[in-house]
Amino acid sequence: MKTDLKKGSWSAEEDQKLISYIEKYGIWNWSQMPRFAGLSRNGKSCRLRWMNYLKPNVKRGNFSKEEEEIILHSHSLLGNRWSAIASKLPGRTDNDVKNYWHTHLKKRAIKHKKLPEKPEQNDTNPSPTYGLDNVEGTQQSTNHSNYVSGSWFTFDDDNPSSSCTTTTNDYGFDQFTAEYHDAGSPGTIDDLQLFWDQLCPVENLEIANNHLDGFSNPISQDSYNDPISSYSIFNNDYITNILPHP
DNA sequence: AAATTAATCAACCGCGACTGT
DNA sequence: AACAGTCGCGGTTGATTAATT
Protein backbone atom coordinates (compact mmCIF):
# COMPACT_ATOMS: atom_id res chain seq x y z
CA MET A 1 0.00 0.00 0.00
CA LYS A 2 1.13 3.50 -0.73
CA THR A 3 -0.38 6.74 0.35
CA ASP A 4 0.74 9.09 -2.39
CA LEU A 5 3.47 11.17 -0.89
CA LYS A 6 3.73 14.83 -1.62
CA LYS A 7 6.63 16.17 -3.62
CA GLY A 8 7.86 19.58 -4.61
CA SER A 9 8.06 22.76 -2.63
CA TRP A 10 7.22 22.80 1.03
CA SER A 11 4.33 24.87 2.31
CA ALA A 12 4.58 27.01 5.44
CA GLU A 13 2.18 24.62 7.12
CA GLU A 14 4.37 21.61 6.39
CA ASP A 15 7.40 23.47 7.63
CA GLN A 16 5.65 24.25 10.87
CA LYS A 17 4.59 20.64 11.36
CA LEU A 18 8.13 19.43 10.91
CA ILE A 19 9.61 22.07 13.18
CA SER A 20 7.06 21.46 15.91
CA TYR A 21 7.58 17.73 15.77
CA ILE A 22 11.33 17.90 15.95
CA GLU A 23 11.26 20.48 18.72
CA LYS A 24 9.03 18.19 20.72
CA TYR A 25 10.43 14.74 19.98
CA GLY A 26 13.78 15.31 18.33
CA ILE A 27 15.10 13.41 15.35
CA TRP A 28 14.85 9.70 15.89
CA ASN A 29 14.16 8.09 12.54
CA TRP A 30 13.67 10.07 9.34
CA SER A 31 11.68 7.42 7.54
CA GLN A 32 9.21 6.91 10.38
CA MET A 33 8.91 10.49 11.58
CA PRO A 34 6.74 11.97 8.81
CA ARG A 35 3.80 9.73 9.72
CA PHE A 36 3.89 10.81 13.33
CA ALA A 37 4.38 14.42 12.38
CA GLY A 38 1.33 14.31 10.13
CA LEU A 39 3.30 14.88 6.97
CA SER A 40 2.70 13.17 3.62
CA ARG A 41 6.35 13.26 2.77
CA ASN A 42 9.00 10.64 2.67
CA GLY A 43 11.77 10.73 5.23
CA LYS A 44 14.34 11.86 2.75
CA SER A 45 12.36 14.91 1.83
CA CYS A 46 11.88 15.79 5.50
CA ARG A 47 15.52 15.34 6.27
CA LEU A 48 16.56 17.53 3.38
CA ARG A 49 14.09 20.26 4.27
CA TRP A 50 15.27 20.25 7.86
CA MET A 51 18.97 20.12 7.16
CA ASN A 52 18.99 22.74 4.43
CA TYR A 53 16.32 25.12 5.54
CA LEU A 54 14.56 24.65 8.85
CA LYS A 55 17.33 23.67 11.19
CA PRO A 56 18.29 26.48 13.58
CA ASN A 57 21.40 28.47 12.65
CA VAL A 58 21.17 27.76 8.95
CA LYS A 59 22.66 30.85 7.42
CA ARG A 60 20.84 32.45 4.54
CA GLY A 61 21.79 35.29 2.29
CA ASN A 62 24.88 36.27 0.40
CA PHE A 63 28.22 34.64 0.89
CA SER A 64 30.92 36.90 2.24
CA LYS A 65 34.25 37.43 0.53
CA GLU A 66 35.86 35.34 3.23
CA GLU A 67 33.43 32.50 2.71
CA GLU A 68 34.13 32.59 -1.00
CA GLU A 69 37.82 32.30 -0.37
CA ILE A 70 37.35 29.36 1.93
CA ILE A 71 35.25 27.59 -0.67
CA LEU A 72 37.78 28.23 -3.39
CA HIS A 73 40.68 27.10 -1.25
CA SER A 74 38.89 24.05 -0.01
CA HIS A 75 37.61 23.05 -3.40
CA SER A 76 41.05 23.27 -4.87
CA LEU A 77 42.10 20.59 -2.43
CA LEU A 78 39.02 18.55 -1.77
CA GLY A 79 37.20 18.70 -5.06
CA ASN A 80 33.46 18.28 -4.96
CA ARG A 81 33.32 17.19 -1.35
CA TRP A 82 30.61 19.68 -0.61
CA SER A 83 29.85 18.41 2.83
CA ALA A 84 33.48 18.67 3.88
CA ILE A 85 33.71 22.15 2.44
CA ALA A 86 30.48 23.23 4.10
CA SER A 87 31.75 22.03 7.45
CA LYS A 88 34.26 24.88 7.36
CA LEU A 89 31.51 27.42 6.92
CA PRO A 90 29.33 27.58 10.02
CA GLY A 91 25.68 27.77 9.09
CA ARG A 92 26.15 26.90 5.46
CA THR A 93 24.85 23.64 4.05
CA ASP A 94 26.46 21.40 1.49
CA ASN A 95 23.62 22.16 -0.89
CA ASP A 96 24.16 25.89 -0.49
CA VAL A 97 27.86 25.61 -1.05
CA LYS A 98 27.34 23.39 -4.06
CA ASN A 99 24.83 25.81 -5.58
CA TYR A 100 27.04 28.77 -4.88
CA TRP A 101 29.97 27.04 -6.45
CA HIS A 102 28.11 26.26 -9.63
CA THR A 103 26.52 29.67 -9.98
CA HIS A 104 29.33 31.95 -8.82
CA LEU A 105 32.68 30.32 -8.33
CA LYS A 106 33.15 27.62 -10.93
CA LYS A 107 33.89 30.07 -13.71
CA ARG A 108 36.40 31.87 -11.58
CA ALA A 109 38.17 28.65 -10.69
CA ILE A 110 38.31 27.60 -14.31
CA LYS A 111 39.77 30.97 -15.20
CA HIS A 112 42.44 30.43 -12.55
CA LYS A 113 43.32 27.14 -14.12
CA LYS A 114 44.15 28.90 -17.33
CA LEU A 115 46.41 31.42 -15.69
CA PRO A 116 50.08 31.19 -16.62
CA GLU A 117 52.47 29.63 -14.16
CA LYS A 118 53.81 31.95 -11.54
CA PRO A 119 57.06 33.69 -12.52
CA GLU A 120 60.26 31.67 -12.55
CA GLN A 121 62.36 32.02 -9.45
CA ASN A 122 66.09 32.33 -9.23
CA ASP A 123 67.51 29.12 -7.79
CA THR A 124 70.62 30.67 -6.37
CA ASN A 125 68.83 33.60 -4.81
CA PRO A 126 65.47 32.21 -3.89
CA SER A 127 62.61 34.51 -3.19
CA PRO A 128 60.83 33.78 0.10
CA THR A 129 57.48 34.43 -1.47
CA TYR A 130 56.44 30.81 -1.59
CA GLY A 131 58.70 29.48 1.07
CA LEU A 132 58.15 28.34 4.60
CA ASP A 133 59.44 31.59 6.01
CA ASN A 134 56.51 33.38 4.57
CA VAL A 135 53.85 31.10 5.92
CA GLU A 136 51.97 33.09 8.47
CA GLY A 137 52.24 31.85 12.00
CA THR A 138 54.78 29.23 11.13
CA GLN A 139 58.02 28.99 12.93
CA GLN A 140 60.84 30.60 11.04
CA SER A 141 63.41 28.14 9.88
CA THR A 142 66.94 28.70 8.77
CA ASN A 143 67.67 25.09 8.00
CA HIS A 144 66.35 24.76 4.52
CA SER A 145 68.49 25.26 1.50
CA ASN A 146 68.49 24.80 -2.26
CA TYR A 147 65.10 26.27 -2.46
CA VAL A 148 63.61 25.92 -5.90
CA SER A 149 60.05 26.80 -6.43
CA GLY A 150 58.07 23.81 -7.54
CA SER A 151 60.70 21.20 -6.84
CA TRP A 152 61.88 19.17 -3.88
CA PHE A 153 64.63 20.38 -1.67
CA THR A 154 66.24 19.43 1.57
CA PHE A 155 64.27 20.86 4.40
CA ASP A 156 66.23 20.15 7.45
CA ASP A 157 69.93 19.51 7.64
CA ASP A 158 69.36 17.10 10.48
CA ASN A 159 66.80 15.22 8.48
CA PRO A 160 68.30 14.99 5.03
CA SER A 161 65.54 12.75 3.81
CA SER A 162 62.85 15.25 4.69
CA SER A 163 61.68 17.65 2.09
CA CYS A 164 59.19 20.23 1.09
CA THR A 165 58.04 21.87 -2.07
CA THR A 166 55.81 24.60 -3.33
CA THR A 167 53.50 24.39 -6.26
CA THR A 168 50.73 26.33 -7.84
CA ASN A 169 47.74 24.08 -7.77
CA ASP A 170 45.11 23.73 -10.48
CA TYR A 171 43.20 26.69 -9.15
CA GLY A 172 46.07 29.09 -9.07
CA PHE A 173 46.71 28.90 -5.35
CA ASP A 174 50.22 28.60 -4.12
CA GLN A 175 50.57 25.54 -2.04
CA PHE A 176 53.33 24.47 0.26
CA THR A 177 53.86 20.78 0.93
CA ALA A 178 56.21 19.23 3.42
CA GLU A 179 57.07 15.61 3.88
CA TYR A 180 58.93 13.51 6.29
CA HIS A 181 60.76 10.68 4.58
CA ASP A 182 61.96 7.85 6.65
CA ALA A 183 63.85 6.36 3.72
CA GLY A 184 63.53 2.83 4.99
CA SER A 185 65.76 3.30 8.01
CA PRO A 186 63.47 3.64 10.98
CA GLY A 187 64.43 6.43 13.30
CA THR A 188 62.58 7.15 16.44
CA ILE A 189 59.21 8.68 16.94
CA ASP A 190 61.14 11.64 18.30
CA ASP A 191 62.70 12.25 14.89
CA LEU A 192 59.28 12.58 13.41
CA GLN A 193 58.12 14.76 16.25
CA LEU A 194 61.13 17.00 15.77
CA PHE A 195 60.55 17.31 12.07
CA TRP A 196 56.96 18.43 12.43
CA ASP A 197 57.73 20.62 15.40
CA GLN A 198 60.27 22.52 13.38
CA LEU A 199 58.02 22.76 10.43
CA CYS A 200 54.87 23.60 12.17
CA PRO A 201 54.32 24.24 15.86
CA VAL A 202 51.52 22.45 17.59
CA GLU A 203 49.20 25.44 17.52
CA ASN A 204 49.32 25.37 13.76
CA LEU A 205 48.46 21.72 13.69
CA GLU A 206 45.36 22.68 15.60
CA ILE A 207 44.58 25.29 13.00
CA ALA A 208 44.90 22.57 10.43
CA ASN A 209 42.46 20.38 12.24
CA ASN A 210 39.99 23.21 12.39
CA HIS A 211 40.25 23.97 8.74
CA LEU A 212 40.45 20.67 7.05
CA ASP A 213 38.31 17.63 7.09
CA GLY A 214 40.34 14.47 7.04
CA PHE A 215 43.51 16.01 8.33
CA SER A 216 45.39 13.54 10.42
CA ASN A 217 48.00 14.71 12.80
CA PRO A 218 51.31 13.57 11.42
CA ILE A 219 52.72 13.18 14.89
CA SER A 220 51.38 9.77 15.61
CA GLN A 221 52.63 6.26 15.57
CA ASP A 222 50.50 5.56 12.53
CA SER A 223 52.12 8.18 10.40
CA TYR A 224 55.47 7.20 11.75
CA ASN A 225 54.93 3.73 10.41
CA ASP A 226 54.07 5.28 7.12
CA PRO A 227 57.45 6.21 5.68
CA ILE A 228 56.11 9.46 4.32
CA SER A 229 53.80 11.84 6.02
CA SER A 230 52.96 15.16 4.60
CA TYR A 231 50.67 18.10 4.57
CA SER A 232 50.36 21.31 2.67
CA ILE A 233 50.03 24.93 3.59
CA PHE A 234 48.51 27.51 1.35
CA ASN A 235 50.76 30.44 1.01
CA ASN A 236 50.12 32.75 3.96
CA ASP A 237 46.91 31.07 4.71
CA TYR A 238 45.56 27.68 5.55
CA ILE A 239 47.21 24.48 6.46
CA THR A 240 45.66 21.91 4.23
CA ASN A 241 45.37 18.28 3.52
CA ILE A 242 47.63 15.34 3.96
CA LEU A 243 48.86 14.55 0.52
CA PRO A 244 50.24 11.30 -0.73
CA HIS A 245 53.66 11.49 -2.22
CA PRO A 246 53.31 11.91 -5.98
C1' DA B 1 5.07 45.50 -22.70
C1' DA B 2 5.92 40.95 -24.14
C1' DA B 3 8.94 37.32 -25.23
C1' DT B 4 13.08 35.08 -24.54
C1' DT B 5 17.15 33.78 -22.12
C1' DA B 6 19.94 33.33 -18.05
C1' DA B 7 20.57 32.78 -13.22
C1' DT B 8 19.30 30.94 -8.96
C1' DC B 9 18.32 27.55 -5.63
C1' DA B 10 15.10 24.12 -3.47
C1' DA B 11 14.29 19.59 -4.04
C1' DC B 12 14.69 14.98 -6.16
C1' DC B 13 17.22 10.77 -7.29
C1' DG B 14 20.59 7.15 -7.18
C1' DC B 15 24.14 5.19 -4.87
C1' DG B 16 27.40 3.85 -1.40
C1' DA B 17 28.47 3.46 3.52
C1' DC B 18 27.07 2.06 7.75
C1' DT B 19 24.50 -0.56 11.23
C1' DG B 20 21.75 -4.02 13.15
C1' DT B 21 19.83 -8.57 12.71
C1' DA C 1 27.94 -13.88 5.47
C1' DA C 2 23.90 -11.98 3.74
C1' DC C 3 20.29 -9.03 3.89
C1' DA C 4 17.36 -4.97 5.04
C1' DG C 5 16.82 -0.47 6.73
C1' DT C 6 18.63 4.03 7.29
C1' DC C 7 21.44 7.91 6.45
C1' DG C 8 24.28 11.16 4.04
C1' DC C 9 26.45 12.67 -0.11
C1' DG C 10 26.87 14.47 -4.68
C1' DG C 11 24.85 14.96 -9.32
C1' DT C 12 21.06 16.69 -11.49
C1' DT C 13 16.52 18.68 -12.46
C1' DG C 14 13.00 21.92 -12.76
C1' DA C 15 10.31 25.88 -11.04
C1' DT C 16 10.78 30.52 -10.17
C1' DT C 17 12.82 34.99 -10.61
C1' DA C 18 15.71 38.38 -12.86
C1' DA C 19 17.81 40.28 -16.80
C1' DT C 20 17.98 41.13 -21.55
C1' DT C 21 16.29 41.66 -26.16
Side-chain angles (χ1 to χ4, degrees), chain A residues 77-149:
Chain A
L77 280 169
L78 301 170
N80 298 351
R81 292 176 56 198
W82 305 116
S83 180
I85 296 170
S87 71
K88 302 176 204 318
L89 301 168
R92 300 295 188 182
T93 69
D94 52 356
N95 213 33
D96 258 358
V97 170
K98 180 171 54 183
N99 282 332
Y100 194 73
W101 169 263
H102 283 123
T103 55
H104 294 89
L105 302 178
K106 188 161 71 178
K107 281 180 200 156
R108 210 203 292 183
I110 288 167
K111 215 163 40 172
H112 267 298
K113 276 187 164 186
K114 290 180 179 158
L115 286 174
E117 296 298 308
K118 62 176 178 277
E120 284 297 316
Q121 308 219 2
N122 185 335
D123 292 357
T124 54
N125 184 23
S127 154
T129 307
Y130 303 104
L132 178 63
D133 288 350
N134 203 37
V135 176
E136 195 177 326
T138 303
Q139 182 176 313
Q140 301 286 299
S141 167
T142 54
N143 284 344
H144 63 272
S145 58
N146 301 325
Y147 178 83
V148 181
S149 178

Side-chain angles (χ1 to χ4, degrees), chain A residues 159-170:
Chain A
N159 275 297
S161 56
S162 306
S163 61
C164 60
T165 187
T166 58
T167 55
T168 301
N169 71 18
D170 284 348

Side-chain angles (χ1 to χ4, degrees), chain A residues 128-131 134-136 174-176 233-238:
Chain A
T129 307
Y130 303 104
N134 203 37
V135 176
E136 195 177 326
D174 295 319
Q175 196 171 320
F176 174 85
I233 305 171
F234 277 130
N235 191 33
N236 292 333
D237 209 341
Y238 300 104

Side-chain angles (χ1 to χ4, degrees), chain A residues 5-22:
Chain A
L5 297 172
K6 191 164 178 281
K7 284 187 173 187
S9 298
W10 280 64
S11 68
E13 190 193 349
E14 287 178 303
D15 282 350
Q16 201 44 58
K17 279 183 179 174
L18 185 57
I19 291 168
S20 303
Y21 186 85
I22 289 176

Side-chain angles (χ1 to χ4, degrees), chain A residues 39-50:
Chain A
L39 287 160
S40 301
R41 295 270 181 177
N42 66 27
K44 264 182 125 167
S45 180
C46 293
R47 181 188 164 273
L48 200 73
R49 183 64 179 168
W50 174 259

Side-chain angles (χ1 to χ4, degrees), chain A residues 63-82:
Chain A
F63 281 69
S64 68
K65 200 85 199 120
E66 193 191 1
E67 286 175 315
E68 280 189 4
E69 287 305 310
I70 290 171
I71 294 171
L72 282 164
H73 274 143
S74 302
H75 190 271
S76 75
L77 280 169
L78 301 170
N80 298 351
R81 292 176 56 198
W82 305 116

